[in-house]
Amino acid sequence: MKKTQENIKIIPLGGLGEVGRNMTLLEYKEAILIIDMGLRFPEEDMPGIDFIIPNISYLKNKEKNILGIIIVHGHYDHLGAIPYLIEKVGNPPIFSSALSRGIILKRQEEFPRAPKLDITVVKDGDKIGLGPFKIEFIRQNHNIPGNLGLFIKTPVGNIFHTSDFKFDKEPINDLPTDFKKLKEIGEQGVLLLMSDSTGAEEEGHSLSEKTIEQNLDKIFKQAKGRIIAATFASLLNRVQQIISLSEKYGRRVCVEGYSMKTNVEIARNLKYLKIKKGTLIEAKEAVNYPDPKITILCTGAQGEGQAVLMRIANQEHKFFHFKKGDEIIFSSSVIPGNERTVQYLKDELYRQGAIVYHYKMMDIHAGGHAQIEELKEMIRTIRPRFFLPIHGQISMLVKHGEIAKGLNILEKNVIIAENGQIINLSREKIFLEKKTVPSNYVMVDGLGIGDVGEVVLRDRQMLSKDGMFVIVAVVDKQTGQVRGSPDIISRGFIYLRESKPLLAETRRKVIDIVNKTTGSGRAVNWVYVKDEIRNKLGQFLFSRTQRRPIILPVVIEV
Amino acid sequence: MKKTQENIKIIPLGGLGEVGRNMTLLEYKEAILIIDMGLRFPEEDMPGIDFIIPNISYLKNKEKNILGIIIVHGHYDHLGAIPYLIEKVGNPPIFSSALSRGIILKRQEEFPRAPKLDITVVKDGDKIGLGPFKIEFIRQNHNIPGNLGLFIKTPVGNIFHTSDFKFDKEPINDLPTDFKKLKEIGEQGVLLLMSDSTGAEEEGHSLSEKTIEQNLDKIFKQAKGRIIAATFASLLNRVQQIISLSEKYGRRVCVEGYSMKTNVEIARNLKYLKIKKGTLIEAKEAVNYPDPKITILCTGAQGEGQAVLMRIANQEHKFFHFKKGDEIIFSSSVIPGNERTVQYLKDELYRQGAIVYHYKMMDIHAGGHAQIEELKEMIRTIRPRFFLPIHGQISMLVKHGEIAKGLNILEKNVIIAENGQIINLSREKIFLEKKTVPSNYVMVDGLGIGDVGEVVLRDRQMLSKDGMFVIVAVVDKQTGQVRGSPDIISRGFIYLRESKPLLAETRRKVIDIVNKTTGSGRAVNWVYVKDEIRNKLGQFLFSRTQRRPIILPVVIEV
């Protein structure tokens, strides 16, 4: 029998209090198991940032304790940080489905100096032992195949981690949810359920992919022109639907966009996609087919400027030019923040006479996440003692916690935790430790990982708002007086060519400030001179423009 | 009888192809009538911009032809550009409801040098004659009182302009829609209907304010803590509901936020708001009342950083500090682009134990715009010969046009027009002229109106992405060699303190480039030297960081 003080520490480094960047540690004594290593995309107030990844400083000097990394499915919010972090955690073994492995390896090609990865393929029903953890992989429906929930036996009790999931009785390219298996897990006794909260604020049940297929079928059935279907490259189940419907209605499919081509190739090679011989054609061949025989399957449903759909709409695509009567399917939701670019794209298409279908008009997109009724069913099926909502904003975690309490999980047994908190789980209780671990954003910008911090970001925000203003004054060492006319370099503040009087006045101001502050005859305090320029020029420019550019004085003594 | 060639030109300068910035000209021979003078808020890719206003260059030298400006209601997208443009169009007379006038005059106080305005108050049923136009004002429901549709008799035929509208049988603070009057207008014969398209992509009928009130009543009825209700200051009907419910349930109301205070004061003075004596209290008094006796009515439902709700949530408000059990009502939709800030605010409130109500959970907000069924009813009632959808993105205008065609308006009689196009309307036909007038964005930034253009904006975008890098080299005139070590000033690119080796290498590079290019003994081409620095340094920094800061070389000869 276990001692009562035995516990496991669960440490979310990402994904709790946000959507994306999933990474969680399970620590028993010294041994550490990592679940996921994802990224997320930057907020609007983080210009220039490519991605945000988890902070792994807690793992420093614990590399030898890391048993392995489990990747639950092939989306970037679960595996996208691998190229940036894998070496730093000592390149431990990775366990994932064959599709996830394919996606990880393809991505790794973009990082030529990255180490060779050790990835073991696992599938539904497989069991592995990693130190004190015995893990069984359980298939779960999502919107990409090869998605695995984790049934983890630990020395303190059993944990079930749902992965992202939804219950789908008629999924695409996948078996329906295995309720029998979930029930068996529940019957074995689950100490802790860690369940996906992304859909916890959505009433009812998520749409079945079957419903989506039926609606897409209606569009395909009546379509007289080309079909241009845009979705996420990562929504492989939707990709399968578009391809199957094209085959049904005698259309060839041209796959366009780097990420779309790549994912289709990986999934096809691994037999996750079923595509008849001859269905796929190249863009340059497609122009030889009549319009009703062509589907263009492409990226760009978020209105991304450089993606295929925008280039077709703007008549900038090498092979495909938008024409009146083209039928455009937006088969994805709109990610918050992209509404305006999507609207711009839709307007451009309407302006040119497109027939547009999007998810607000009919159900041609389903999310990949369980909604309230499914979340309830999961809790009822697993019947855990303790409950930890994972994957989601605080509002979603809180809502999911309320759902659990409504199903007779004791209030004290429901833990709302955020990134960096340490959840202490023992057979008897679950609680948050007082101590936390670092979990702040680590920003990736070009080759820099974590080097862009608050200071650089704040400067970028300020630069973008009112621009900058450099003034270069050459000062005579002997007299302390400005020589010639100061140089002005400014960007993003005013249009210089039309502001000559203001610039002339600014130069006179600077000469005046320098001559006054240096003219005392004593040793010159250059820091003071620069501060004076910055302050007085700032006031002057604000009074004239009500803008506050960053002012950078350069004083050169000669 | 009119001659067949007689026509009116309708020229939208804003609001067609966008939501906001409404302004339309009606031109008959020389005479020009202006409807609205609104602004819109900037897109995400326009950092530092305060507002976007219409381009009025078409009106240059036509000031004496302008008969007047009609403002249909008191929202900034219909009147917000007045302070910037009124002088430029010769300060013509304005006609508006009393509430709109109050809002215009209050705003004008922020522009002390602006001219005195000549505003005539008009109300439902009033008729005025302006040159060839006879205008009758017709009340229309929206989410602010004093909203007026326009029945305009012109020499070529009658025009009905709906203003923003919805049909509401049980509105707040307003009479229900006057269908009898609308029918009469239809019976008089309408040549052209100009109808609000903002809701043209929404199925069904907009919610009645009565429904909203019933749902808000449920919240008030059970609330045990303070109620903090956030909405737009411009949603005066919602403001009335919150105040009336507070009175019903014995709560005092503290109005917080500059725009909220201002609007409540204007509307109360003009008797558009009904508030009992003693209901409103100051924040400093509010702290003396028990929680269930207090409503805080405030701005900040969009998660704006400086608005009242965010300051309360962040414990930065002078009088009110958020506490567990506070009940927060978000009674507004989320404007596209604000999803993330709203989510941040909601999370912060949930984290601290708030009870949160928002429009996705229950119907506690209704839009102010007619949806598809109402739009159909308007067309059926007015039975126009020609149809021009106004107010909306292209996708909405197109959809609204389709609705009209579905109601037996001939395809050639439906015109989808955008800003800057000239709609030529005669008794016999309607068509778009080939010629267009300028209608591009005019950006307001501080005191500058229209001075920030493509160049400045592009620089701001570039600066925000990767920052800037100024290098100052002092060169000896005689030898052509760099004196000392070049100065580097950089912001938003890298964190300088942690990048000393890179900066040292950069300085060596610059010395090398200058010395090589100036070392030929011939006259030095400084433009070439600077280009060399810019190009080579750009490549060097990119190779090390994969970032592309704006590089600004300064070379000083001494």
Side-chain angles (χ1 to χ4, degrees), chain B residues 42-69:
Chain B
E43 308 272 341
E44 284 101 350
D45 61 354
M46 302 173 187
I49 301 302
D50 304 324
F51 308 114
I52 310 168
I53 59 174
N55 184 327
I56 54 161
S57 51
Y58 176 74
L59 293 172
K60 203 160 185 183
N61 301 322
K62 299 193 183 77
E63 295 79 5
K64 64 178 192 323
N65 304 336
I66 297 173
L67 307 165
I69 304 173

Side-chain angles (χ1 to χ4, degrees), chain A residues 68-306:
Chain A
I69 304 173
I70 296 173
I71 300 296
V72 295
H73 63 263
H75 284 161
Y76 275 24
D77 57 335
H78 293 262
L79 57 74
I82 292 177
Y84 305 108
L85 300 180
I86 193 78
E87 262 190 295
K88 295 185 182 168
V89 296
N91 198 13
I94 297 173
F95 301 84
S96 79
S97 66
L99 180 58
S100 302
R101 179 175 180 272
I103 291 169
I104 294 168
L105 291 179
K106 183 74 193 175
R107 179 100 192 287
Q108 207 70 359
E109 288 173 13
E110 295 168 29
F111 297 79
R113 268 170 286 178
K116 199 173 172 309
L117 301 180
D118 165 14
I119 311 182
T120 302
V121 169
V122 291
K123 60 178 193 308
D124 180 43
D126 282 359
K127 295 177 187 180
I128 61 169
L130 286 175
F133 304 107
K134 311 257 169 296
I135 302 139
E136 181 176 353
F137 298 90
I138 313 290
R139 65 181 166 77
Q140 288 271 70
N141 294 124
H142 188 38
N143 45 31
I144 185 171
N147 178 43
L148 297 166
L150 310 173
F151 182 44
I152 307 172
K153 294 189 175 172
T154 82
V156 307
N158 298 336
I159 296 174
F160 187 59
H161 181 294
T162 62
S163 175
D164 288 358
F165 82 101
K166 66 177 188 175
F167 290 146
D168 197 341
K169 282 166 190 162
E170 296 181 289
I172 295 301
N173 250 358
D174 244 336
L175 294 167
T177 302
D178 189 352
F179 288 105
K180 193 162 150 275
K181 180 73 200 176
L182 291 176
K183 214 169 154 222
E184 273 172 38
I185 288 172
E187 281 160 4
Q188 288 188 52
V190 171
L191 186 66
L192 173 68
L193 171 61
M194 300 168 68
S195 185
D196 175 20
S197 312
T198 318
E201 293 183 298
E202 306 294 329
E203 299 292 334
H205 197 292
S206 65
L207 287 171
S208 168
E209 288 295 328
K210 187 73 186 175
T211 309
I212 308 304
E213 183 159 285
Q214 286 162 349
N215 283 319
L216 289 173
D217 194 308
K218 283 179 208 160
I219 298 173
F220 270 81
K221 197 169 182 179
Q222 56 72 45
K224 288 174 189 67
R226 292 188 299 191
I227 286 178
I228 305 177
T231 187
F232 294 111
S234 58
L235 273 183
L236 277 170
N237 293 348
R238 195 64 38 76
V239 166
Q240 177 72 68
Q241 287 167 324
I242 304 284
I243 292 173
S244 299
L245 284 168
S246 298
E247 289 173 343
K248 178 172 173 187
Y249 289 101
R251 289 174 183 262
R252 304 296 167 109
V253 178
C254 180
V255 179
E256 283 293 291
Y258 176 76
S259 57
M260 188 64 90
K261 274 182 190 293
T262 306
N263 277 11
V264 168
E265 192 190 322
I266 296 170
R268 188 186 198 183
N269 289 342
L270 295 169
K271 311 227 183 304
Y272 281 97
L273 280 179
K274 293 178 194 71
I275 307 175
K276 288 185 188 151
K277 223 180 135 186
T279 295
L280 299 188
I281 57 171
E282 293 295 320
K284 60 178 182 289
E285 298 172 65
V287 293
N288 301 324
Y289 287 82
D291 290 349
K293 296 289 170 198
I294 288 293
T295 299
I296 301 166
L297 172 59
C298 62
T299 54
Q302 299 297 314
E304 305 97 317
Q306 284 312 304

Side-chain angles (χ1 to χ4, degrees), chain A residues 301-532:
Chain A
Q302 299 297 314
E304 305 97 317
Q306 284 312 304
V308 176
L309 186 54
M310 188 69 92
R311 284 190 281 130
I312 294 176
N314 286 340
Q315 307 293 357
E316 291 168 0
H317 193 274
K318 193 172 169 195
F319 294 103
F320 297 118
H321 304 284
F322 180 82
K323 53 190 174 190
K324 199 172 167 169
D326 279 345
E327 314 217 2
I328 319 289
I329 301 173
F330 286 82
S331 186
S332 75
S333 57
V334 177
I335 294 177
N338 292 348
E339 291 81 2
R340 292 193 189 194
T341 51
V342 171
Q343 182 66 51
Y344 169 86
L345 174 57
K346 269 170 58 187
D347 281 350
E348 195 49 51
L349 293 167
Y350 275 112
R351 186 180 277 124
Q352 298 181 45
I355 301 155
V356 178
Y357 303 93
H358 57 89
Y359 78 108
K360 279 195 166 178
M361 295 163 62
M362 57 199 290
D363 290 330
I364 53 175
H365 174 69
H369 300 278
Q371 296 176 199
I372 292 173
E373 292 309 315
E374 292 152 276
L375 296 175
K376 285 183 184 169
E377 195 170 350
M378 177 63 88
I379 295 169
R380 279 197 218 101
T381 309
I382 298 297
R383 289 178 297 148
R385 176 154 180 206
F386 301 121
F387 182 66
L388 175 67
I390 58 171
H391 302 172
Q393 301 286 149
I394 305 290
S395 65
M396 300 165 188
L397 303 178
V398 169
K399 190 76 201 277
H400 203 180
E402 297 301 322
I403 292 168
K405 289 177 205 165
L407 296 170
N408 295 321
I409 307 225
L410 295 177
E411 176 145 11
K412 64 175 181 155
N413 290 351
V414 173
I415 289 288
I416 306 301
E418 290 188 59
N419 296 333
Q421 291 189 304
I422 300 173
I423 299 137
N424 187 307
L425 172 72
S426 63
R427 199 162 279 276
E428 291 73 27
K429 65 176 175 180
I430 189 167
F431 66 95
L432 289 176
E433 296 190 359
K434 290 224 168 65
K435 210 175 50 179
T436 60
V437 312
S439 66
N440 56 309
Y441 287 166
V442 172
M443 289 180 263
V444 177
D445 180 1
L447 297 181
I449 299 172
D451 69 327
V452 172
E454 297 266 318
V455 175
V456 174
L457 264 195
R458 203 177 48 235
D459 282 345
R460 286 184 186 175
Q461 289 160 6
M462 286 176 64
L463 285 168
S464 78
K465 207 166 160 292
D466 286 324
M468 58 87 178
F469 197 92
V470 179
I471 184 114
V472 185
V474 178
V475 178
D476 189 304
K477 243 184 230 170
Q478 319 265 266
T479 63
Q481 301 293 293
V482 175
R483 272 205 207 168
S485 181
D487 271 336
I488 288 172
I489 306 164
S490 176
R491 292 287 186 281
F493 167 51
I494 46 170
Y495 191 49
L496 297 180
R497 288 196 190 174
E498 290 174 358
S499 312
K500 283 183 182 154
L502 180 67
L503 298 180
E505 205 175 339
T506 306
R507 284 197 187 87
R508 282 196 301 274
K509 278 257 163 206
V510 172
I511 293 172
D512 199 46
I513 294 165
V514 175
N515 290 355
K516 265 189 193 147
T517 47
T518 60
S520 66
R522 276 171 292 171
V524 177
N525 180 345
W526 292 111
V527 173
Y528 174 71
V529 174
K530 285 189 190 179
D531 279 350
E532 278 288 293

Side-chain angles (χ1 to χ4, degrees), chain B residues 138-162:
Chain B
I138 314 290
R139 66 182 165 76
Q140 288 271 70
N141 295 126
H142 188 38
N143 44 31
I144 184 169
N147 178 43
L148 297 166
L150 310 174
F151 182 44
I152 307 171
K153 294 189 177 175
T154 82
V156 307
N158 298 336
I159 296 175
F160 186 60
H161 181 294
T162 62

Side-chain angles (χ1 to χ4, degrees), chain B residues 7 28 72 87 96 117 123 145 156 175 207-208 223 298 306 378 390 443 460 469 483 519 525 543 554:
Chain B
N7 65 62
Y28 175 74
V72 295
E87 263 191 292
S96 78
L117 302 179
K123 60 179 193 308
V156 307
L175 295 166
L207 287 171
S208 169
C298 62
Q306 284 313 303
M378 177 63 88
I390 59 171
M443 289 178 266
R460 288 185 185 175
F469 197 93
R483 269 204 208 169
N525 179 344
S543 74
V554 182

Side-chain angles (χ1 to χ4, degrees), chain A residues 17 41-44 47-48 201 336-337 339-340 343 346-347 350-351 358 393-395 398 418 445-448 451-452 455-456 459-460 463-468 470 472 474 487 489 491-495 543-547 550 552 554 556 558, chain B residues 17 41-44 47-48 201 336-337 339-340 343 346-347 350-351 358 393-395 398 418 445-448 451-452 455-456 459-460 463-468 470 472 474 487 489 491-495 543-547 550 552 554 556 558:
Chain A
F41 292 93
E43 309 272 343
E44 284 100 352
E201 293 183 298
E339 291 81 2
R340 292 193 189 194
Q343 182 66 51
K346 269 170 58 187
D347 281 350
Y350 275 112
R351 186 180 277 124
H358 57 89
Q393 301 286 149
I394 305 290
S395 65
V398 169
E418 290 188 59
D445 180 1
L447 297 181
D451 69 327
V452 172
V455 175
V456 174
D459 282 345
R460 286 184 186 175
L463 285 168
S464 78
K465 207 166 160 292
D466 286 324
M468 58 87 178
V470 179
V472 185
V474 178
D487 271 336
I489 306 164
R491 292 287 186 281
F493 167 51
I494 46 170
Y495 191 49
S543 74
R544 290 306 173 88
T545 61
Q546 294 205 0
R547 299 175 197 170
I550 295 185
L552 302 163
V554 182
I556 294 166
V558 291
Chain B
F41 293 93
E43 308 272 341
E44 284 101 350
E201 294 183 296
E339 291 81 1
R340 292 192 189 195
Q343 182 66 51
K346 269 170 57 187
D347 282 350
Y350 274 113
R351 185 180 279 125
H358 57 88
Q393 300 286 150
I394 306 290
S395 64
V398 168
E418 291 186 59
D445 179 0
L447 296 182
D451 70 326
V452 172
V455 174
V456 174
D459 282 345
R460 288 185 185 175
L463 285 168
S464 78
K465 208 167 160 290
D466 287 324
M468 58 88 177
V470 179
V472 185
V474 179
D487 272 335
I489 305 164
R491 292 288 186 281
F493 167 49
I494 46 171
Y495 191 49
S543 74
R544 290 304 174 86
T545 63
Q546 293 204 3
R547 299 176 199 169
I550 295 185
L552 301 165
V554 182
I556 294 166
V558 291

Side-chain angles (χ1 to χ4, degrees), chain B residues 195-448:
Chain B
S195 184
D196 175 20
S197 311
T198 317
E201 294 183 296
E202 307 293 329
E203 299 292 335
H205 197 292
S206 66
L207 287 171
S208 169
E209 288 295 328
K210 187 74 186 172
T211 309
I212 307 305
E213 183 160 283
Q214 286 162 350
N215 284 317
L216 289 173
D217 194 308
K218 283 179 208 159
I219 297 173
F220 271 80
K221 196 169 183 178
Q222 57 72 48
K224 288 174 189 64
R226 291 187 300 191
I227 286 179
I228 305 177
T231 186
F232 294 110
S234 59
L235 273 182
L236 277 170
N237 293 347
R238 196 63 38 75
V239 166
Q240 177 72 69
Q241 288 167 324
I242 305 284
I243 291 173
S244 300
L245 284 168
S246 298
E247 289 172 344
K248 178 172 173 186
Y249 290 101
R251 287 175 184 261
R252 305 296 166 111
V253 178
C254 180
V255 178
E256 283 293 291
Y258 175 76
S259 58
M260 188 66 88
K261 274 182 192 291
T262 306
N263 277 10
V264 168
E265 192 190 322
I266 295 169
R268 189 186 199 184
N269 289 343
L270 295 169
K271 311 225 182 305
Y272 281 98
L273 280 180
K274 292 178 194 70
I275 308 175
K276 289 184 188 151
K277 222 180 137 188
T279 295
L280 299 189
I281 57 172
E282 292 297 317
K284 57 178 185 289
E285 299 172 63
V287 293
N288 301 326
Y289 287 82
D291 291 350
K293 297 288 169 200
I294 287 294
T295 299
I296 302 166
L297 171 60
C298 62
T299 54
Q302 299 297 311
E304 305 96 319
Q306 284 313 303
V308 177
L309 186 54
M310 186 69 91
R311 284 189 282 130
I312 294 177
N314 286 340
Q315 307 292 358
E316 290 167 1
H317 193 273
K318 193 172 169 192
F319 294 103
F320 297 118
H321 303 283
F322 180 82
K323 53 190 174 189
K324 199 171 165 167
D326 280 346
E327 313 216 3
I328 318 290
I329 301 173
F330 285 83
S331 186
S332 76
S333 57
V334 178
I335 295 177
N338 292 349
E339 291 81 1
R340 292 192 189 195
T341 49
V342 171
Q343 182 66 51
Y344 169 86
L345 175 58
K346 269 170 57 187
D347 282 350
E348 195 49 51
L349 293 167
Y350 274 113
R351 185 180 279 125
Q352 298 183 44
I355 300 156
V356 177
Y357 303 93
H358 57 88
Y359 78 108
K360 277 195 167 179
M361 294 162 65
M362 58 198 292
D363 289 330
I364 52 175
H365 174 69
H369 301 277
Q371 297 177 195
I372 291 172
E373 291 310 315
E374 291 152 278
L375 296 175
K376 284 183 184 169
E377 196 172 349
M378 177 63 88
I379 295 168
R380 279 196 219 101
T381 308
I382 299 296
R383 288 176 299 145
R385 176 154 182 207
F386 301 121
F387 183 67
L388 174 67
I390 59 171
H391 302 171
Q393 300 286 150
I394 306 290
S395 64
M396 299 164 188
L397 303 178
V398 168
K399 191 76 202 280
H400 202 178
E402 297 300 324
I403 292 168
K405 289 177 205 165
L407 295 170
N408 296 321
I409 307 228
L410 294 177
E411 176 145 11
K412 64 173 180 158
N413 290 351
V414 174
I415 288 289
I416 306 302
E418 291 186 59
N419 296 333
Q421 291 190 304
I422 300 172
I423 299 139
N424 187 306
L425 172 72
S426 62
R427 200 160 278 276
E428 291 73 27
K429 65 175 176 182
I430 189 167
F431 66 95
L432 289 176
E433 295 191 359
K434 289 225 167 62
K435 211 174 48 180
T436 59
V437 313
S439 66
N440 56 307
Y441 288 166
V442 172
M443 289 178 266
V444 176
D445 179 0
L447 296 182

